[in-house]
Every structure is written in structure tokens, then in C-alpha cells.
Amino acid sequence: MDDATATFGRLQPRLLGVAYRMLGSMAEAEDVVQDVWLRWHDTDTGRVDNAEAWLVASTTRRAIDKLRLARTHREHYVGIWLPEPVLTDFDGASPTPEQVEEAASDLSIAFLTVLERLAPDARAAFLLHEVFDADYAQIAEVVGKSEAACRQIVHRAKAQLRDERPRYHVPDDVHRRLMQRFLDAVASGDFSGMKALMAESAVLVGDGGGVVTSFPRPMVGGDRIAALLYAARLRFKEGLRHELALVNGRMGLLRYIQGELESVMSFETDGERIVNVFVQRNPEKLRLVSAHHVLRLQ
């Protein structure tokens, strides 16, 4: 393996992370990284001073172009559009609690859904500055604007997202314990226990993509959400199975019906109760989870 190929292989998880956060779709992110690999392969890499900066910049620019095209499709999407969920794991040594919290905050379905409010250039500038710690000179080079303009873009993006970003910062171990309690209640058909773990004002958002049945608008009310999940237990009985999994950096649930993955559920909690449930049912967006494809985090 030559040095250029080894360098790309080492940085590939980071490039996938950049592209996925930009697009909210692992399938599209993989297409972007493949395009960047082809460009890298055709480049005189010996003249590249900083391979990581070059590859991240190329990935971000390609993702901006792809997001511009995707936004037209998403405007005509049937029902509510949610990001494609991914199973996540850390590459190498066991992560620190701080690394886990960072991944959960900037990979969560809730966060990626909020990012859809931003235009492609603004999303790129915001992510590069807030998630990947790029300075404004680097951001300016990537998006093709002045440093002053990039400062304004990031400032406006932060203001735009301030009231919509996930409200709670719950330690990972607290979230995990709550999810285990919720799984136990669901698995045993404990309707009272399910209701007790739902906030009164909890909201469920589902994405069926027009392929399978889902809700055209958010469902509000913890009791209603608990009743919906309990009804599935009554209907499918032993054919219904739930499994805990690390979804987008935070513990969520995989739901199987008759042995087939039917949905991926992600949760936002306040540490004591569930406040938001994101249910992905679109079969196309479940393809990689069904194949146990894992995004490795660096």
C-alpha cells in the first residue's frame, strides 16, 4: 500500500463523519467520499502540504454540491424527512466520557434534523467551526468566501439554531440507564412503566418516506406515544422484539417484527423522562443498519 492510499485509509472515518453530518445520509456520504478518493488518486499528493486539510476541504465542497441537489428532492419528500440513522462505534481505544458526549451532541438525529434549517454553505461553515474546530481562514478557503463573511455566516447560523438545538445535556450513563428501563417496560408489556418514562409533552416524529405508513405530522403527548408502542406489543406479541443499540452516538432502540428490522428509534431525554422520539421507518434509510454497517468515530 503506497503512502497516499494509507493516508486516505487513515482519514476515511473522519471524511465520512464530515460528509454524513453535512448530508444526514450515510449512503450519500459514502458517494461523496468515493468521489474524493478518485480525485485524491488522480492528484500529485507529493505536492499536498497538509493531506488532512486537503481531504476535509474536498469532502466538504463535494458535500455542499450534493446537499444543494438533495434539498430540491427533500422539498418534495412525502411526509416528514428525518436523517438516515447510523450505528456508531469508536475506532481504536475505548472513548473517554467527553468523547462520547461530543459524539452524541453533534451526531444525534435531533441535531442533524435541526441542521436542515441551514443553507448548504452555512451548514458547512457552522460544522467546520463548531464541530471540527476549523479556524475562519480554513473555512474561508473551503466555502470560497472571505473570513469576515464566514464569521457572519457562523454567527447567523448559531443564532438561527439557538432555540431549536436539543435542550438537554444528559450524561451518557444516565441516558443508557433510562433506555434500559424503557426497553424493560416495552419488552414486558408494562404500559404503566412506559407511560411513567414519558414526559407529558413528549413528541414523536416519524419518517416513512411515502413507502410505509407513518405520521404526517408530529404526535404530541407521552400517554399517546406509550399507547402507540403498547399497541404494537398487543398486535405482534412474540413477533415483536426490541434491541438496544448505539445510534448516532447515543443509545437507541432497533425494533424487529417477525425477525425483520422495522424501525430505528432515537430518543432525547431530560435525564428522567423521554421528551422526543424519532422513528425512522423508511426501508431505504434502514438498509445500512440492517446490514450492521457501523460508522467508526475517531
Side-chain angles (χ1 to χ4, degrees):
M1 182 183 297
D2 59 35
D3 289 344
T5 301
T7 297
F8 187 89
R10 176 174 58 83
L11 293 171
Q12 188 174 16
R14 182 173 180 82
L15 304 182
L16 274 173
V18 171
Y20 174 70
R21 287 172 174 88
M22 277 292 297
L23 296 162
S25 165
M26 184 51 67
E28 293 175 353
E30 289 179 332
D31 287 344
V32 164
V33 173
Q34 179 64 23
D35 289 346
V36 172
W37 158 246
L38 293 174
R39 186 181 173 204
W40 178 248
H41 184 70
D42 291 337
T43 297
D44 182 1
T45 56
R47 302 183 65 178
V48 176
D49 293 331
N50 186 325
E52 181 172 355
W54 190 98
L55 287 167
V56 169
S58 296
T59 299
T60 305
R61 292 190 193 105
R62 183 70 187 93
I64 289 172
D65 292 340
K66 199 167 188 69
L67 184 57
R68 285 175 177 148
L69 295 174
R71 284 171 72 90
T72 301
H73 170 70
R74 292 175 191 179
E75 288 173 358
H76 298 92
Y77 193 80
V78 178
I80 300 172
W81 185 93
L82 288 176
E84 176 186 357
V86 293
L87 302 180
T88 47
D89 196 3
F90 284 84
D91 195 17
S94 298
T96 65
E98 291 76 18
Q99 287 175 312
V100 173
E101 293 303 318
E102 288 175 6
S105 66
D106 63 56
L107 268 177
S108 73
I109 295 295
F111 178 63
L112 294 178
T113 300
V114 167
L115 286 182
E116 285 295 304
R117 314 284 198 274
L118 299 178
D121 284 355
R123 184 164 178 163
F126 177 83
L127 285 170
L128 287 172
H129 188 265
E130 295 295 304
V131 176
F132 297 104
D133 297 320
D135 59 36
Y136 285 109
Q138 294 171 303
I139 297 170
E141 184 176 350
V142 171
V143 302
K145 300 181 184 294
S146 69
E147 289 186 43
C150 289
R151 288 180 185 275
Q152 285 299 313
I153 290 172
V154 172
H155 176 75
R156 286 196 296 267
K158 290 167 71 173
Q160 186 175 346
L161 301 181
R162 185 173 297 120
D163 295 332
E164 300 185 61
R165 293 186 69 172
R167 295 168 290 167
Y168 304 100
H169 299 281
V170 179
D172 183 62
D173 58 338
V174 174
H175 181 87
R176 283 173 177 263
R177 287 196 295 270
L178 198 157
M179 286 296 98
Q180 183 63 62
R181 290 168 57 200
F182 186 69
L183 172 62
D184 293 343
V186 171
S188 63
D190 179 4
F191 183 46
S192 296
M194 293 164 63
K195 288 198 299 181
L197 291 172
M198 285 282 179
E200 183 178 347
S201 59
V203 177
L204 180 147
V205 181
D207 178 351
V211 180
V212 298
T213 303
S214 190
F215 297 99
R217 60 186 62 85
M219 172 184 281
V220 180
D223 288 357
R224 295 178 66 200
I225 297 170
L228 175 71
L229 298 176
Y230 182 67
R233 168 60 61 190
L234 294 178
R235 178 181 178 186
F236 297 104
K237 299 181 173 62
E238 298 305 316
L240 183 68
R241 178 173 64 87
H242 294 80
E243 180 182 313
L244 286 172
L246 198 64
V247 178
N248 289 73
R250 190 67 110 179
M251 194 59 69
L253 290 180
L254 311 183
R255 186 163 87 166
Y256 295 85
I257 295 178
Q258 308 301 344
E260 297 290 330
L261 180 66
E262 178 268 347
S263 61
V264 175
M265 291 185 278
S266 303
F267 300 84
E268 185 184 4
T269 76
D270 62 8
E272 296 181 355
R273 290 180 175 80
I274 294 165
V275 296
N276 285 309
V277 185
F278 301 91
V279 183
Q280 183 55 258
R281 300 192 67 231
N282 185 339
E284 182 59 28
K285 294 184 182 181
L286 298 178
R287 181 176 55 84
L288 291 179
V289 174
S290 295
H292 300 287
H293 179 105
V294 178
L295 173 61
R296 302 289 180 183
L297 304 173
Q298 290 185 325

